[in-house]
Amino acid sequence: MRNAGIEDPESESQIVAAEVIGVSRPRVALLLDSVPLQGFEARFEEVITGRLRRVPLQHLFGVAPFLELDLVVNGDVLVPRPETEILAIRAVEILRREGGARGAILDVGTGSGCLSIHLAKSLPAFSIQAIDVSPAALSVAERNGAVHCPGRIDFRKVDVLGLGPDAFQGLDLVVSNPPYIPSAEIRTLEPEVRDHDPISALDGGADGLVFYRHLADVAVDWVRPGGWILLELGDGQTDAVGALFRRRACEVSVEKDLSGRDRVLIVRTSSACAA
Ligand SMILES: C[S@@+](CC[C@H](N)C(=O)[O-])C[C@H]1O[C@@H](n2cnc3c(N)ncnc32)[C@H](O)[C@@H]1O
């Protein structure tokens, strides 16, 4: 695996063994030493062969963790990333801190449904809409929604770039992890991302900012004064995206991820934003 360019082959081998046997990682060594496991070697080999072709583990197992959730994933959705968990956690904290017993949330570009499902489970009185342009992604999100929070999320096929400022009104929160990779950079990404995440989940246009520009134009009007827009950011995008929302007279702050990179733009609207 090391020769294939995989960053941490030891720990990935343990994950594969644990998943194939169906036990926790700490028990793997113990079991492999003591019990002859039927079918283990063939399945282990199959998954390792997939990894050597740089297929992500999440695709090989068809499941990805996101906070408390195990989500079904396939090549039609972006594999949920740990960085995005920060956005989800902060969104829940903000709405709980405000004490709002009920309200409305929109998830733009829902993919696997990770953000909207976590929000639905954490904020039981909020109504949640989740949109995506990809019917195939929506069917994965609906499947995950049916397992984790049946009936809670209104999933719809919508092209956000076709929506104007009147498409929604009075929302408390808009969350989005939009496609944000500049088009020309996609071919430079690791094979796990470049060849296995859908292009529509990655491509943010020539400068990576197409979706942020549009959301700054229209989403500010979807949110009530004093409401919130939380957006995941790509590397080096903080100033440009922050400026788009400051131009709309919104308050803007930034949250870093665990590696110290700016990761979430937190936008608070005011009545001046809608002017
Ligand atoms: C970076 S992925 C995020 C998926 C998921 N929210 C997450 O955080 O893992 C972006 C998502 O936006 C969707 N998308 C791309 N273009 C879109 C558009 N014009 N309108 C709505 N959704 C779009 C993609 O299909 C993809 O599911």
Side-chain angles (χ1 to χ4, degrees):
M1 284 223 271
R2 196 179 304 284
N3 291 343
I6 290 164
E7 209 177 313
D8 188 357
E10 285 83 9
S11 95
E12 287 217 23
S13 305
Q14 281 179 17
I15 293 171
V16 174
E19 193 74 29
V20 170
I21 307 168
V23 298
S24 67
R25 264 174 82 182
R27 295 202 63 203
V28 162
L30 201 65
L31 269 175
L32 287 179
D33 280 351
S34 57
V35 191
L37 293 160
Q38 212 183 5
F40 171 78
E41 280 182 22
R43 177 71 179 131
F44 188 81
E45 186 77 32
E46 183 188 2
V47 177
I48 294 294
T49 305
R51 275 307 283 135
L52 294 178
R53 287 189 282 108
R54 304 294 296 266
V55 182
L57 280 182
Q58 295 90 338
H59 285 298
L60 292 164
F61 295 127
V63 67
F66 186 81
L67 294 167
E68 79 285 11
L69 307 168
D70 276 335
L71 297 171
V72 167
V73 291
N74 60 26
D76 296 323
V77 295
L78 186 94
V79 170
R81 306 291 206 270
E83 301 88 273
T84 309
E85 295 179 348
I86 295 165
L87 194 166
I89 291 166
R90 193 60 67 239
V92 170
E93 262 176 26
I94 286 172
L95 292 185
R96 283 192 180 148
R97 189 180 65 214
E98 293 207 321
R102 55 184 60 239
I105 298 171
L106 174 69
D107 174 18
V108 175
T110 195
S112 62
C114 55
L115 285 170
S116 46
I117 294 171
H118 176 72
L119 291 168
K121 293 193 70 176
S122 308
L123 300 162
F126 278 73
S127 73
I128 303 187
Q129 299 176 74
I131 63 174
D132 203 292
V133 76
S134 158
L138 280 170
S139 82
V140 174
E142 279 166 350
R143 203 168 144 199
N144 283 320
V147 170
H148 292 288
C149 55
R152 281 295 316 286
I153 302 171
D154 178 10
F155 291 104
R156 292 202 184 195
K157 181 189 169 312
V158 175
D159 176 355
V160 69
L161 299 176
L163 297 179
D166 300 328
F168 299 94
Q169 279 181 338
L171 297 175
D172 296 277
L173 170 71
V174 174
V175 292
S176 186
N177 172 18
Y180 56 63
I181 311 289
S183 309
E185 279 179 29
I186 292 174
R187 65 184 156 74
T188 69
L189 299 172
E190 291 293 321
E192 283 86 346
V193 180
R194 183 190 65 212
D195 301 337
H196 297 283
D197 281 321
I199 185 86
S200 60
L202 302 174
D203 193 344
D207 62 359
L209 301 178
V210 163
F211 288 88
Y212 300 113
R213 225 174 260 119
H214 186 67
L215 289 170
D217 281 347
V218 299
V220 171
D221 298 291
W222 300 344
V223 173
R224 64 169 166 79
W228 302 86
I229 302 172
L230 267 63
L231 303 173
E232 181 161 324
L233 293 168
D235 288 343
Q237 293 178 328
T238 310
D239 291 347
V241 182
L244 291 170
F245 285 90
R246 284 199 188 89
R247 216 173 284 151
R248 300 281 326 256
C250 299
E251 281 172 37
V252 170
S253 59
V254 177
E255 177 98 17
K256 290 189 185 299
D257 64 21
L258 294 176
S259 60
R261 296 194 172 110
D262 289 355
R263 189 56 65 195
V264 183
L265 193 79
I266 302 178
V267 177
R268 177 134 215 214
T269 64
S270 68
S271 42
C273 293

